Amino acid sequence: FPVTIKQWNVAHHFAKKAIELNDYEVKYFELLGDSCLQLGYLFESTEAYRAAIELECSNSELWIRLAEIWALENEFVSAVDVLTEALEELPTDENIHYRLAVYLLKGGRPKEAFTYLESGLALNHSAHEQIYGFFPDLETQKLLFQVVQKLA
């Protein structure tokens, strides 16, 4: 069911209160990041995800969510920077490799993107299907499919 703005405001309030009581709980920072993102507080959202990452740098989903914020703003260089940093912590996480490929493609850097696409395929070939959802244009999907076939 859809969450209303009022519910996100309540979540935001209680996440802040929870962090005041216990600033070592990753889930509180994650909730704060999610609620801030939904309410349009992008800077506060990035800060919350950064805090969560400091507590649990092995959680690839946190890194990906932080990069998504930048990508939503078409700041693909910043999104790529976040995920490149994530690879230092999680070099074998295929989702980070695939997401890097997506953001590099969207940022106009196809040669670099194909490097990460290839490494993602080597780590987990079947997980490559996640990239198609980022490119709704059928022609782009066909091109990506052809590239994946060549790299595989």
Side-chain angles (χ1 to χ4, degrees):
F1 64 93
V3 179
T4 66
I5 295 296
K6 183 177 180 180
Q7 290 168 318
W8 280 118
N9 274 315
V10 170
H12 181 257
H13 170 77
F14 282 111
K16 283 186 150 190
K17 288 291 184 189
I19 290 167
E20 286 176 18
L21 296 172
N22 178 358
D23 62 354
Y24 293 101
E25 181 57 53
V26 174
K27 291 292 181 192
Y28 298 160
F29 285 101
E30 191 175 357
L31 176 60
L32 181 61
D34 290 346
S35 63
C36 288
L37 181 59
Q38 294 300 318
L39 294 169
Y41 308 144
L42 299 184
F43 179 76
E44 192 177 346
S45 183
T46 61
E47 293 285 306
Y49 283 121
R50 277 281 173 202
I53 288 167
E54 283 183 32
L55 293 171
E56 192 177 317
C57 63
S58 62
N59 184 334
S60 65
E61 191 59 37
L62 295 172
W63 290 100
I64 289 170
R65 285 186 187 167
L66 178 58
E68 282 175 346
I69 296 168
W70 293 112
L72 287 170
E73 294 296 303
N74 290 323
E75 294 285 341
F76 296 111
V77 171
S78 296
V80 166
D81 288 346
V82 166
L83 293 176
T84 302
E85 186 182 344
L87 276 185
E88 292 174 19
E89 297 292 333
L90 302 162
T92 60
D93 188 292
E94 70 272 5
N95 296 316
I96 293 173
H97 287 262
Y98 286 125
R99 195 63 67 99
L100 260 167
V102 167
Y103 294 155
L104 284 164
L105 280 171
K106 287 186 171 277
R109 296 161 57 187
K111 285 185 181 182
E112 291 174 77
F114 295 146
T115 300
Y116 288 104
L117 180 57
E118 187 172 30
S119 60
L121 289 166
L123 291 167
N124 183 348
H125 185 275
S126 62
H128 78 276
E129 293 184 11
Q130 65 185 280
I131 65 174
Y132 299 122
F134 291 93
F135 301 96
D137 179 59
L138 218 46
E139 289 303 312
T140 305
Q141 287 184 6
K142 286 180 186 177
L143 286 170
L144 282 171
F145 180 79
Q146 291 170 352
V147 170
V148 166
Q149 295 306 308
K150 286 181 184 176
L151 292 175

PDB file of all heavy atoms in Angstrom, residues 101-134:
ATOM      1  N   ALA A 101      27.860   0.124 -14.109  1.00  0.00           N
ATOM      2  CA  ALA A 101      27.725   0.091 -15.569  1.00  0.00           C
ATOM      3  C   ALA A 101      26.552   0.976 -16.014  1.00  0.00           C
ATOM      4  O   ALA A 101      26.676   1.752 -16.963  1.00  0.00           O
ATOM      5  CB  ALA A 101      27.524  -1.341 -16.057  1.00  0.00           C
ATOM      6  N   VAL A 102      25.440   0.887 -15.313  1.00  0.00           N
ATOM      7  CA  VAL A 102      24.253   1.683 -15.655  1.00  0.00           C
ATOM      8  C   VAL A 102      24.558   3.170 -15.553  1.00  0.00           C
ATOM      9  O   VAL A 102      24.286   3.938 -16.485  1.00  0.00           O
ATOM     10  CB  VAL A 102      23.056   1.313 -14.745  1.00  0.00           C
ATOM     11  CG1 VAL A 102      21.938   2.338 -14.857  1.00  0.00           C
ATOM     12  CG2 VAL A 102      22.547  -0.077 -15.079  1.00  0.00           C
ATOM     13  N   TYR A 103      25.115   3.583 -14.430  1.00  0.00           N
ATOM     14  CA  TYR A 103      25.349   5.017 -14.219  1.00  0.00           C
ATOM     15  C   TYR A 103      26.440   5.553 -15.136  1.00  0.00           C
ATOM     16  O   TYR A 103      26.386   6.713 -15.541  1.00  0.00           O
ATOM     17  CB  TYR A 103      25.656   5.305 -12.756  1.00  0.00           C
ATOM     18  CG  TYR A 103      24.476   5.042 -11.832  1.00  0.00           C
ATOM     19  CD1 TYR A 103      24.666   4.752 -10.496  1.00  0.00           C
ATOM     20  CD2 TYR A 103      23.169   5.082 -12.300  1.00  0.00           C
ATOM     21  CE1 TYR A 103      23.601   4.514  -9.652  1.00  0.00           C
ATOM     22  CE2 TYR A 103      22.094   4.828 -11.463  1.00  0.00           C
ATOM     23  CZ  TYR A 103      22.319   4.548 -10.139  1.00  0.00           C
ATOM     24  OH  TYR A 103      21.247   4.304  -9.308  1.00  0.00           O
ATOM     25  N   LEU A 104      27.409   4.725 -15.461  1.00  0.00           N
ATOM     26  CA  LEU A 104      28.429   5.156 -16.426  1.00  0.00           C
ATOM     27  C   LEU A 104      27.807   5.319 -17.816  1.00  0.00           C
ATOM     28  O   LEU A 104      28.122   6.273 -18.529  1.00  0.00           O
ATOM     29  CB  LEU A 104      29.591   4.165 -16.453  1.00  0.00           C
ATOM     30  CG  LEU A 104      30.535   4.261 -15.257  1.00  0.00           C
ATOM     31  CD1 LEU A 104      31.406   3.006 -15.170  1.00  0.00           C
ATOM     32  CD2 LEU A 104      31.396   5.515 -15.341  1.00  0.00           C
ATOM     33  N   LEU A 105      26.936   4.403 -18.190  1.00  0.00           N
ATOM     34  CA  LEU A 105      26.246   4.542 -19.477  1.00  0.00           C
ATOM     35  C   LEU A 105      25.391   5.806 -19.499  1.00  0.00           C
ATOM     36  O   LEU A 105      25.435   6.572 -20.462  1.00  0.00           O
ATOM     37  CB  LEU A 105      25.360   3.322 -19.761  1.00  0.00           C
ATOM     38  CG  LEU A 105      26.050   2.084 -20.299  1.00  0.00           C
ATOM     39  CD1 LEU A 105      25.082   0.912 -20.325  1.00  0.00           C
ATOM     40  CD2 LEU A 105      26.621   2.346 -21.681  1.00  0.00           C
ATOM     41  N   LYS A 106      24.643   6.018 -18.438  1.00  0.00           N
ATOM     42  CA  LYS A 106      23.787   7.204 -18.384  1.00  0.00           C
ATOM     43  C   LYS A 106      24.607   8.485 -18.346  1.00  0.00           C
ATOM     44  O   LYS A 106      24.160   9.531 -18.789  1.00  0.00           O
ATOM     45  CB  LYS A 106      22.849   7.140 -17.186  1.00  0.00           C
ATOM     46  CG  LYS A 106      21.734   6.122 -17.386  1.00  0.00           C
ATOM     47  CD  LYS A 106      20.741   6.185 -16.253  1.00  0.00           C
ATOM     48  CE  LYS A 106      19.536   5.348 -16.549  1.00  0.00           C
ATOM     49  NZ  LYS A 106      18.549   6.014 -17.368  1.00  0.00           N
ATOM     50  N   GLY A 107      25.818   8.393 -17.830  1.00  0.00           N
ATOM     51  CA  GLY A 107      26.700   9.540 -17.762  1.00  0.00           C
ATOM     52  C   GLY A 107      27.560   9.722 -19.004  1.00  0.00           C
ATOM     53  O   GLY A 107      28.427  10.590 -19.037  1.00  0.00           O
ATOM     54  N   GLY A 108      27.322   8.878 -20.025  1.00  0.00           N
ATOM     55  CA  GLY A 108      28.033   9.038 -21.292  1.00  0.00           C
ATOM     56  C   GLY A 108      29.441   8.474 -21.313  1.00  0.00           C
ATOM     57  O   GLY A 108      30.294   8.943 -22.069  1.00  0.00           O
ATOM     58  N   ARG A 109      29.696   7.438 -20.518  1.00  0.00           N
ATOM     59  CA  ARG A 109      31.025   6.819 -20.465  1.00  0.00           C
ATOM     60  C   ARG A 109      30.920   5.320 -20.774  1.00  0.00           C
ATOM     61  O   ARG A 109      31.143   4.477 -19.910  1.00  0.00           O
ATOM     62  CB  ARG A 109      31.638   7.068 -19.092  1.00  0.00           C
ATOM     63  CG  ARG A 109      31.865   8.559 -18.846  1.00  0.00           C
ATOM     64  CD  ARG A 109      32.023   8.934 -17.396  1.00  0.00           C
ATOM     65  NE  ARG A 109      33.079   8.269 -16.675  1.00  0.00           N
ATOM     66  CZ  ARG A 109      33.244   8.402 -15.351  1.00  0.00           C
ATOM     67  NH1 ARG A 109      32.432   9.163 -14.649  1.00  0.00           N
ATOM     68  NH2 ARG A 109      34.212   7.762 -14.746  1.00  0.00           N
ATOM     69  N   PRO A 110      30.579   4.976 -22.031  1.00  0.00           N
ATOM     70  CA  PRO A 110      30.296   3.576 -22.359  1.00  0.00           C
ATOM     71  C   PRO A 110      31.489   2.631 -22.227  1.00  0.00           C
ATOM     72  O   PRO A 110      31.306   1.488 -21.813  1.00  0.00           O
ATOM     73  CB  PRO A 110      29.792   3.636 -23.801  1.00  0.00           C
ATOM     74  CG  PRO A 110      30.310   4.918 -24.341  1.00  0.00           C
ATOM     75  CD  PRO A 110      30.404   5.858 -23.183  1.00  0.00           C
ATOM     76  N   LYS A 111      32.684   3.072 -22.557  1.00  0.00           N
ATOM     77  CA  LYS A 111      33.841   2.157 -22.461  1.00  0.00           C
ATOM     78  C   LYS A 111      34.044   1.689 -21.027  1.00  0.00           C
ATOM     79  O   LYS A 111      34.249   0.501 -20.786  1.00  0.00           O
ATOM     80  CB  LYS A 111      35.104   2.833 -22.987  1.00  0.00           C
ATOM     81  CG  LYS A 111      35.153   2.928 -24.484  1.00  0.00           C
ATOM     82  CD  LYS A 111      36.470   3.479 -24.962  1.00  0.00           C
ATOM     83  CE  LYS A 111      36.465   3.578 -26.478  1.00  0.00           C
ATOM     84  NZ  LYS A 111      37.739   4.058 -26.998  1.00  0.00           N
ATOM     85  N   GLU A 112      33.978   2.619 -20.082  1.00  0.00           N
ATOM     86  CA  GLU A 112      34.106   2.248 -18.673  1.00  0.00           C
ATOM     87  C   GLU A 112      32.929   1.375 -18.239  1.00  0.00           C
ATOM     88  O   GLU A 112      33.096   0.427 -17.472  1.00  0.00           O
ATOM     89  CB  GLU A 112      34.172   3.491 -17.797  1.00  0.00           C
ATOM     90  CG  GLU A 112      35.439   4.300 -17.951  1.00  0.00           C
ATOM     91  CD  GLU A 112      35.369   5.593 -17.172  1.00  0.00           C
ATOM     92  OE1 GLU A 112      35.537   5.546 -15.940  1.00  0.00           O
ATOM     93  OE2 GLU A 112      35.119   6.631 -17.810  1.00  0.00           O
ATOM     94  N   ALA A 113      31.752   1.719 -18.740  1.00  0.00           N
ATOM     95  CA  ALA A 113      30.553   0.960 -18.374  1.00  0.00           C
ATOM     96  C   ALA A 113      30.689  -0.502 -18.776  1.00  0.00           C
ATOM     97  O   ALA A 113      30.342  -1.400 -18.005  1.00  0.00           O
ATOM     98  CB  ALA A 113      29.319   1.575 -19.033  1.00  0.00           C
ATOM     99  N   PHE A 114      31.213  -0.743 -19.956  1.00  0.00           N
ATOM    100  CA  PHE A 114      31.332  -2.121 -20.431  1.00  0.00           C
ATOM    101  C   PHE A 114      32.338  -2.916 -19.608  1.00  0.00           C
ATOM    102  O   PHE A 114      32.197  -4.126 -19.449  1.00  0.00           O
ATOM    103  CB  PHE A 114      31.656  -2.156 -21.916  1.00  0.00           C
ATOM    104  CG  PHE A 114      30.542  -1.602 -22.775  1.00  0.00           C
ATOM    105  CD1 PHE A 114      30.822  -0.907 -23.938  1.00  0.00           C
ATOM    106  CD2 PHE A 114      29.213  -1.758 -22.422  1.00  0.00           C
ATOM    107  CE1 PHE A 114      29.803  -0.390 -24.720  1.00  0.00           C
ATOM    108  CE2 PHE A 114      28.183  -1.241 -23.195  1.00  0.00           C
ATOM    109  CZ  PHE A 114      28.488  -0.555 -24.348  1.00  0.00           C
ATOM    110  N   THR A 115      33.326  -2.242 -19.055  1.00  0.00           N
ATOM    111  CA  THR A 115      34.280  -2.917 -18.164  1.00  0.00           C
ATOM    112  C   THR A 115      33.557  -3.459 -16.938  1.00  0.00           C
ATOM    113  O   THR A 115      33.757  -4.610 -16.540  1.00  0.00           O
ATOM    114  CB  THR A 115      35.398  -1.940 -17.739  1.00  0.00           C
ATOM    115  OG1 THR A 115      36.073  -1.482 -18.900  1.00  0.00           O
ATOM    116  CG2 THR A 115      36.384  -2.609 -16.801  1.00  0.00           C
ATOM    117  N   TYR A 116      32.698  -2.619 -16.351  1.00  0.00           N
ATOM    118  CA  TYR A 116      31.953  -3.060 -15.166  1.00  0.00           C
ATOM    119  C   TYR A 116      30.857  -4.055 -15.525  1.00  0.00           C
ATOM    120  O   TYR A 116      30.555  -4.962 -14.740  1.00  0.00           O
ATOM    121  CB  TYR A 116      31.385  -1.863 -14.400  1.00  0.00           C
ATOM    122  CG  TYR A 116      32.468  -1.110 -13.688  1.00  0.00           C
ATOM    123  CD1 TYR A 116      32.930   0.104 -14.182  1.00  0.00           C
ATOM    124  CD2 TYR A 116      33.055  -1.623 -12.535  1.00  0.00           C
ATOM    125  CE1 TYR A 116      33.948   0.798 -13.531  1.00  0.00           C
ATOM    126  CE2 TYR A 116      34.073  -0.946 -11.890  1.00  0.00           C
ATOM    127  CZ  TYR A 116      34.516   0.265 -12.397  1.00  0.00           C
ATOM    128  OH  TYR A 116      35.524   0.936 -11.749  1.00  0.00           O
ATOM    129  N   LEU A 117      30.285  -3.907 -16.694  1.00  0.00           N
ATOM    130  CA  LEU A 117      29.304  -4.882 -17.148  1.00  0.00           C
ATOM    131  C   LEU A 117      29.962  -6.249 -17.297  1.00  0.00           C
ATOM    132  O   LEU A 117      29.430  -7.261 -16.844  1.00  0.00           O
ATOM    133  CB  LEU A 117      28.677  -4.435 -18.475  1.00  0.00           C
ATOM    134  CG  LEU A 117      27.620  -5.345 -19.080  1.00  0.00           C
ATOM    135  CD1 LEU A 117      26.470  -5.589 -18.113  1.00  0.00           C
ATOM    136  CD2 LEU A 117      27.096  -4.740 -20.379  1.00  0.00           C
ATOM    137  N   GLU A 118      31.138  -6.255 -17.866  1.00  0.00           N
ATOM    138  CA  GLU A 118      31.868  -7.509 -18.047  1.00  0.00           C
ATOM    139  C   GLU A 118      32.231  -8.140 -16.703  1.00  0.00           C
ATOM    140  O   GLU A 118      32.076  -9.347 -16.515  1.00  0.00           O
ATOM    141  CB  GLU A 118      33.123  -7.254 -18.875  1.00  0.00           C
ATOM    142  CG  GLU A 118      33.856  -8.509 -19.271  1.00  0.00           C
ATOM    143  CD  GLU A 118      34.979  -8.223 -20.252  1.00  0.00           C
ATOM    144  OE1 GLU A 118      35.567  -7.118 -20.212  1.00  0.00           O
ATOM    145  OE2 GLU A 118      35.265  -9.122 -21.059  1.00  0.00           O
ATOM    146  N   SER A 119      32.682  -7.320 -15.752  1.00  0.00           N
ATOM    147  CA  SER A 119      33.026  -7.876 -14.441  1.00  0.00           C
ATOM    148  C   SER A 119      31.773  -8.359 -13.708  1.00  0.00           C
ATOM    149  O   SER A 119      31.810  -9.384 -13.022  1.00  0.00           O
ATOM    150  CB  SER A 119      33.800  -6.869 -13.595  1.00  0.00           C
ATOM    151  OG  SER A 119      33.059  -5.700 -13.368  1.00  0.00           O
ATOM    152  N   GLY A 120      30.655  -7.660 -13.881  1.00  0.00           N
ATOM    153  CA  GLY A 120      29.404  -8.123 -13.292  1.00  0.00           C
ATOM    154  C   GLY A 120      28.980  -9.466 -13.865  1.00  0.00           C
ATOM    155  O   GLY A 120      28.533 -10.353 -13.132  1.00  0.00           O
ATOM    156  N   LEU A 121      29.144  -9.608 -15.169  1.00  0.00           N
ATOM    157  CA  LEU A 121      28.802 -10.881 -15.816  1.00  0.00           C
ATOM    158  C   LEU A 121      29.674 -12.018 -15.296  1.00  0.00           C
ATOM    159  O   LEU A 121      29.202 -13.144 -15.109  1.00  0.00           O
ATOM    160  CB  LEU A 121      28.944 -10.754 -17.338  1.00  0.00           C
ATOM    161  CG  LEU A 121      27.897  -9.887 -18.028  1.00  0.00           C
ATOM    162  CD1 LEU A 121      28.329  -9.566 -19.457  1.00  0.00           C
ATOM    163  CD2 LEU A 121      26.540 -10.558 -18.006  1.00  0.00           C
ATOM    164  N   ALA A 122      30.936 -11.721 -15.063  1.00  0.00           N
ATOM    165  CA  ALA A 122      31.842 -12.746 -14.541  1.00  0.00           C
ATOM    166  C   ALA A 122      31.462 -13.162 -13.122  1.00  0.00           C
ATOM    167  O   ALA A 122      31.603 -14.333 -12.760  1.00  0.00           O
ATOM    168  CB  ALA A 122      33.284 -12.236 -14.574  1.00  0.00           C
ATOM    169  N   LEU A 123      30.960 -12.215 -12.350  1.00  0.00           N
ATOM    170  CA  LEU A 123      30.582 -12.516 -10.968  1.00  0.00           C
ATOM    171  C   LEU A 123      29.262 -13.268 -10.874  1.00  0.00           C
ATOM    172  O   LEU A 123      29.121 -14.194 -10.072  1.00  0.00           O
ATOM    173  CB  LEU A 123      30.485 -11.216 -10.159  1.00  0.00           C
ATOM    174  CG  LEU A 123      31.813 -10.518  -9.895  1.00  0.00           C
ATOM    175  CD1 LEU A 123      31.581  -9.104  -9.386  1.00  0.00           C
ATOM    176  CD2 LEU A 123      32.643 -11.321  -8.896  1.00  0.00           C
ATOM    177  N   ASN A 124      28.283 -12.838 -11.671  1.00  0.00           N
ATOM    178  CA  ASN A 124      26.970 -13.484 -11.654  1.00  0.00           C
ATOM    179  C   ASN A 124      26.242 -13.121 -12.943  1.00  0.00           C
ATOM    180  O   ASN A 124      25.599 -12.070 -13.018  1.00  0.00           O
ATOM    181  CB  ASN A 124      26.158 -13.051 -10.432  1.00  0.00           C
ATOM    182  CG  ASN A 124      24.819 -13.749 -10.341  1.00  0.00           C
ATOM    183  OD1 ASN A 124      24.366 -14.399 -11.281  1.00  0.00           O
ATOM    184  ND2 ASN A 124      24.172 -13.596  -9.203  1.00  0.00           N
ATOM    185  N   HIS A 125      26.328 -13.993 -13.912  1.00  0.00           N
ATOM    186  CA  HIS A 125      25.776 -13.711 -15.234  1.00  0.00           C
ATOM    187  C   HIS A 125      24.274 -13.450 -15.195  1.00  0.00           C
ATOM    188  O   HIS A 125      23.773 -12.532 -15.829  1.00  0.00           O
ATOM    189  CB  HIS A 125      26.090 -14.850 -16.206  1.00  0.00           C
ATOM    190  CG  HIS A 125      25.651 -14.570 -17.602  1.00  0.00           C
ATOM    191  ND1 HIS A 125      24.374 -14.826 -18.033  1.00  0.00           N
ATOM    192  CD2 HIS A 125      26.310 -14.027 -18.654  1.00  0.00           C
ATOM    193  CE1 HIS A 125      24.263 -14.465 -19.308  1.00  0.00           C
ATOM    194  NE2 HIS A 125      25.422 -13.973 -19.697  1.00  0.00           N
ATOM    195  N   SER A 126      23.541 -14.242 -14.448  1.00  0.00           N
ATOM    196  CA  SER A 126      22.079 -14.129 -14.469  1.00  0.00           C
ATOM    197  C   SER A 126      21.574 -12.829 -13.839  1.00  0.00           C
ATOM    198  O   SER A 126      20.443 -12.422 -14.098  1.00  0.00           O
ATOM    199  CB  SER A 126      21.435 -15.330 -13.781  1.00  0.00           C
ATOM    200  OG  SER A 126      21.813 -15.384 -12.424  1.00  0.00           O
ATOM    201  N   ALA A 127      22.403 -12.165 -13.047  1.00  0.00           N
ATOM    202  CA  ALA A 127      21.967 -10.924 -12.394  1.00  0.00           C
ATOM    203  C   ALA A 127      21.987  -9.728 -13.349  1.00  0.00           C
ATOM    204  O   ALA A 127      21.524  -8.650 -12.988  1.00  0.00           O
ATOM    205  CB  ALA A 127      22.845 -10.632 -11.179  1.00  0.00           C
ATOM    206  N   HIS A 128      22.475  -9.917 -14.564  1.00  0.00           N
ATOM    207  CA  HIS A 128      22.582  -8.788 -15.495  1.00  0.00           C
ATOM    208  C   HIS A 128      21.217  -8.241 -15.929  1.00  0.00           C
ATOM    209  O   HIS A 128      21.126  -7.105 -16.376  1.00  0.00           O
ATOM    210  CB  HIS A 128      23.381  -9.178 -16.744  1.00  0.00           C
ATOM    211  CG  HIS A 128      22.611  -9.972 -17.743  1.00  0.00           C
ATOM    212  ND1 HIS A 128      22.476 -11.337 -17.648  1.00  0.00           N
ATOM    213  CD2 HIS A 128      21.917  -9.589 -18.840  1.00  0.00           C
ATOM    214  CE1 HIS A 128      21.730 -11.761 -18.653  1.00  0.00           C
ATOM    215  NE2 HIS A 128      21.374 -10.713 -19.393  1.00  0.00           N
ATOM    216  N   GLU A 129      20.177  -9.018 -15.758  1.00  0.00           N
ATOM    217  CA  GLU A 129      18.853  -8.576 -16.204  1.00  0.00           C
ATOM    218  C   GLU A 129      18.380  -7.313 -15.492  1.00  0.00           C
ATOM    219  O   GLU A 129      17.540  -6.591 -16.009  1.00  0.00           O
ATOM    220  CB  GLU A 129      17.843  -9.710 -16.052  1.00  0.00           C
ATOM    221  CG  GLU A 129      18.153 -10.853 -17.004  1.00  0.00           C
ATOM    222  CD  GLU A 129      17.131 -11.963 -16.964  1.00  0.00           C
ATOM    223  OE1 GLU A 129      16.068 -11.767 -16.346  1.00  0.00           O
ATOM    224  OE2 GLU A 129      17.404 -13.011 -17.549  1.00  0.00           O
ATOM    225  N   GLN A 130      18.965  -7.027 -14.341  1.00  0.00           N
ATOM    226  CA  GLN A 130      18.573  -5.825 -13.601  1.00  0.00           C
ATOM    227  C   GLN A 130      18.879  -4.546 -14.371  1.00  0.00           C
ATOM    228  O   GLN A 130      18.224  -3.535 -14.155  1.00  0.00           O
ATOM    229  CB  GLN A 130      19.255  -5.795 -12.235  1.00  0.00           C
ATOM    230  CG  GLN A 130      20.769  -5.678 -12.288  1.00  0.00           C
ATOM    231  CD  GLN A 130      21.408  -5.769 -10.928  1.00  0.00           C
ATOM    232  OE1 GLN A 130      21.420  -4.786 -10.198  1.00  0.00           O
ATOM    233  NE2 GLN A 130      21.927  -6.931 -10.576  1.00  0.00           N
ATOM    234  N   ILE A 131      19.824  -4.578 -15.273  1.00  0.00           N
ATOM    235  CA  ILE A 131      20.197  -3.345 -15.983  1.00  0.00           C
ATOM    236  C   ILE A 131      19.127  -2.890 -16.963  1.00  0.00           C
ATOM    237  O   ILE A 131      18.999  -1.692 -17.221  1.00  0.00           O
ATOM    238  CB  ILE A 131      21.558  -3.477 -16.709  1.00  0.00           C
ATOM    239  CG1 ILE A 131      21.501  -4.515 -17.817  1.00  0.00           C
ATOM    240  CG2 ILE A 131      22.663  -3.758 -15.735  1.00  0.00           C
ATOM    241  CD1 ILE A 131      22.746  -4.596 -18.669  1.00  0.00           C
ATOM    242  N   TYR A 132      18.347  -3.800 -17.489  1.00  0.00           N
ATOM    243  CA  TYR A 132      17.354  -3.438 -18.508  1.00  0.00           C
ATOM    244  C   TYR A 132      16.287  -2.484 -17.967  1.00  0.00           C
ATOM    245  O   TYR A 132      15.786  -1.637 -18.701  1.00  0.00           O
ATOM    246  CB  TYR A 132      16.698  -4.689 -19.103  1.00  0.00           C
ATOM    247  CG  TYR A 132      17.688  -5.605 -19.793  1.00  0.00           C
ATOM    248  CD1 TYR A 132      17.838  -6.922 -19.390  1.00  0.00           C
ATOM    249  CD2 TYR A 132      18.476  -5.144 -20.833  1.00  0.00           C
ATOM    250  CE1 TYR A 132      18.747  -7.762 -20.013  1.00  0.00           C
ATOM    251  CE2 TYR A 132      19.393  -5.975 -21.458  1.00  0.00           C
ATOM    252  CZ  TYR A 132      19.525  -7.281 -21.044  1.00  0.00           C
ATOM    253  OH  TYR A 132      20.425  -8.098 -21.659  1.00  0.00           O
ATOM    254  N   GLY A 133      15.945  -2.604 -16.702  1.00  0.00           N
ATOM    255  CA  GLY A 133      14.931  -1.747 -16.109  1.00  0.00           C
ATOM    256  C   GLY A 133      15.315  -0.274 -16.069  1.00  0.00           C
ATOM    257  O   GLY A 133      14.452   0.595 -15.960  1.00  0.00           O
ATOM    258  N   PHE A 134      16.587   0.006 -16.186  1.00  0.00           N
ATOM    259  CA  PHE A 134      17.047   1.395 -16.166  1.00  0.00           C
ATOM    260  C   PHE A 134      16.956   2.058 -17.536  1.00  0.00           C
ATOM    261  O   PHE A 134      17.148   3.261 -17.661  1.00  0.00           O
ATOM    262  CB  PHE A 134      18.492   1.469 -15.659  1.00  0.00           C
ATOM    263  CG  PHE A 134      18.617   1.140 -14.212  1.00  0.00           C
ATOM    264  CD1 PHE A 134      18.901  -0.159 -13.805  1.00  0.00           C
ATOM    265  CD2 PHE A 134      18.423   2.114 -13.249  1.00  0.00           C
ATOM    266  CE1 PHE A 134      19.003  -0.475 -12.472  1.00  0.00           C
ATOM    267  CE2 PHE A 134      18.518   1.805 -11.906  1.00  0.00           C
ATOM    268  CZ  PHE A 134      18.815   0.508 -11.513  1.00  0.00           C
TER     269      PHE A 134
END
